[in-house]
Amino acid sequence: MRNDMKALAKSKPETGLWMERRPVPEIGPDDVLIRIRKTGICGTDIHIWNWDDWAARTVPLGLVTGHEFAGEIVELGRNVTGLSVGQRCSGEGHLISNQSRQSRAGKFHLDPATRGIGVNEQGAFAQYLCLPAFNVVPLPDEIDDEIGAILDPLGNAVHTALSFDLVGEDVLITGAGPIGIMAAAVARHVGARHVVITDVNQDRLDLAAQVTDVVPVNVARQDLRDVVAGLKMKQGFDVGMEMSGNQAALDQMIEHLVMGGRIAMLGIPPGKSPVDWSRIVFKAITLKGVYGREIFETWYKMIAMLENGLDVRRVITHRFQVEDFRDGFEVMRAGSSGKVVLDWG
Ligand code: NAD
Ligand code: ZN
């Protein structure tokens, strides 16, 4: 009998998360129950841990957190077809309605009524997760649980990287966090020419170079112009992916883009930040905001690429048993790790 379970909850309005006993969720007719095996810690979870202004405004107290997971289906709602008990899966953590114009046009990722598990709704840092069957993404045997647990952020990277054609193009990625590094691996995989990644954190640039074939640039010490000249690039980067949320990084990207260049922006700047709009106009730059993953096109492409040689495993730098979750959060908070994965047994 499944009665109660371990879960990591935001129980108090202060720094931290707390391991608690919670009832196993009851599923509705269109849901499945997933036994969680591995979860990834996301930057979002760090905001919730830190209980910053955004988290305090957004996350209801008592919520079970977490949205990056892989597990196994253990129960099916009575309307669910096409899935089976025992099936390994990950899933899309954005819960969407089917009411909006966007959803009804099949653009589920643009539904304005989106709610996130582990942010607005009960999350995946628990032994069991209730998820609409619609959101389930079955995992092929080639994709193990720890990779399954980072498909959410890999999906952010894939969504951003596939926003513009990269074949034969020179690509600049600002921010060598886990998502920037995985985006570099995707850009390589799909056939970009030069992939340059910037950061001010040398540990992260070193990690980027271990994960994939990129040119890491520490912009605190190196001049990007010298790097561009060294690569014998004549004009500038064709495509930029902003993955830091840092204003200086965006300015630098705009400066180093070709006339008519394209920028996909995933990084979230804290509050408002000034932008040199006339520079964007005169360089005829296209800017695209990127949110989440395309449901389910990004998932399809990502799994196909993983089955066909895309390798991001080295971006996982730390693995902990869930009992040691505090160590995992501390490593993430220190800022030089890649992905941190928790094992739920
Ligand atoms: P992260 O915070 O781990 O990485 C950001 C990196 O940017 C850090 O390594 C930091 O040192 C670096 N950086 C800081 N200043 C810089 C500068 N001037 N130039 C270059 N790099 C600089 O973040 P992550 O988890 O990899 O996520 C990347 C970004 O995407 C974050 O801003 C995150 O909030 C955002 N995000 C957005 C979505 C979405 O749906 N839009 C989803 C997930 C994450
Ligand atoms: Zn995430």
Side-chain angles (χ1 to χ4, degrees), residues 14-342:
E14 57 190 67
T15 306
L17 288 176
W18 291 268
M19 180 71 88
E20 296 190 345
R21 302 298 308 182
R22 290 294 176 89
V24 172
E26 285 190 23
I27 63 170
D30 298 310
D31 301 328
V32 301
L33 190 67
I34 298 168
R35 190 158 86 80
I36 298 295
R37 294 201 185 284
K38 308 249 183 194
T39 56
I41 303 179
C42 179
T44 304
D45 303 318
I46 300 300
H47 288 286
I48 297 173
W49 176 282
N50 293 342
W51 205 236
D52 62 14
D53 291 345
W54 169 83
R57 261 186 285 120
T58 312
V59 177
L61 268 189
L63 189 82
V64 175
T65 56
H67 59 271
E68 303 180 358
F69 69 93
E72 179 193 338
I73 297 175
V74 291
E75 193 183 332
L76 301 172
R78 72 181 132 79
N79 295 340
V80 176
T81 57
L83 296 171
S84 53
V85 168
Q87 198 165 17
R88 294 174 54 250
C89 69
S90 180
E92 172 57 53
H94 284 174
L95 310 181
I96 47 121
S97 76
N98 55 11
Q99 307 292 311
S100 68
R101 174 181 173 181
Q102 293 91 330
S103 287
R104 291 172 70 84
K107 296 178 220 162
F108 299 120
H109 68 294
L110 300 179
D111 179 28
T114 298
R115 296 180 63 73
I117 65 167
V119 176
N120 316 107
E121 304 287 340
Q122 293 297 332
F125 287 165
Q127 285 175 298
Y128 295 94
L129 169 71
C130 166
L131 194 73
F134 177 78
N135 287 58
V136 170
V137 177
L139 291 177
D141 292 344
E142 299 77 42
I143 298 182
D144 60 27
D145 291 337
E146 69 172 18
I147 296 295
I150 64 165
L151 292 182
D152 170 292
L154 176 59
N156 294 133
V158 168
H159 186 186
T160 313
L162 300 188
S163 289
F164 300 110
D165 184 7
L166 299 184
V167 179
E169 304 286 22
D170 295 330
V171 176
L172 174 64
I173 299 171
T174 47
I179 303 182
I181 294 175
M182 291 192 283
V186 174
R188 258 282 150 265
H189 186 79
V190 302
R193 184 172 67 162
H194 298 305
V195 182
V196 173
I197 191 164
T198 66
D199 207 296
V200 291
N201 176 333
Q202 191 57 42
D203 293 339
R204 287 219 148 152
L205 291 164
D206 294 345
L207 179 62
Q210 282 165 31
V211 173
T212 185
D213 174 22
V214 280
V215 180
V217 180
N218 188 333
V219 288
R221 299 188 211 144
Q222 277 170 284
D223 191 332
L224 198 49
R225 273 172 303 206
D226 298 339
V227 176
V228 169
L231 292 172
K232 301 193 169 48
M233 285 170 50
K234 294 223 167 54
Q235 296 191 44
F237 294 93
D238 304 292
V239 178
M241 297 185 217
E242 207 311 289
M243 302 253 170
S244 73
N246 184 286
Q247 191 205 323
L250 179 61
D251 287 345
Q252 192 166 44
M253 176 172 282
I254 292 165
E255 210 48 49
H256 285 87
L257 231 56
V258 292
M259 279 288 292
R262 290 144 292 166
I263 299 178
M265 278 186 75
L266 186 89
I268 304 172
K272 292 187 182 176
S273 56
V275 175
D276 187 352
W277 289 108
S278 62
R279 194 91 184 102
I280 291 175
V281 172
F282 288 128
K283 277 191 117 169
I285 285 170
T286 302
L287 262 179
K288 180 193 176 196
V290 180
Y291 176 54
R293 295 144 298 280
E294 283 190 12
I295 307 170
F296 286 87
E297 191 61 9
T298 302
W299 290 88
Y300 181 88
K301 298 258 196 190
M302 160 165 74
I303 288 173
M305 286 190 283
L306 287 168
E307 288 178 313
N308 186 31
L310 174 67
D311 183 1
V312 293
R313 189 174 310 276
R314 274 169 291 186
V315 85
I316 303 174
T317 54
H318 296 77
R319 298 161 176 86
F320 295 97
Q321 294 299 314
V322 71
E323 286 69 26
D324 301 322
F325 68 95
R326 285 188 193 81
D327 297 336
F329 277 84
E330 283 317 318
V331 164
M332 278 283 285
R333 272 154 51 100
S336 39
S337 68
K339 288 302 294 181
V340 177
V341 171
L342 301 177

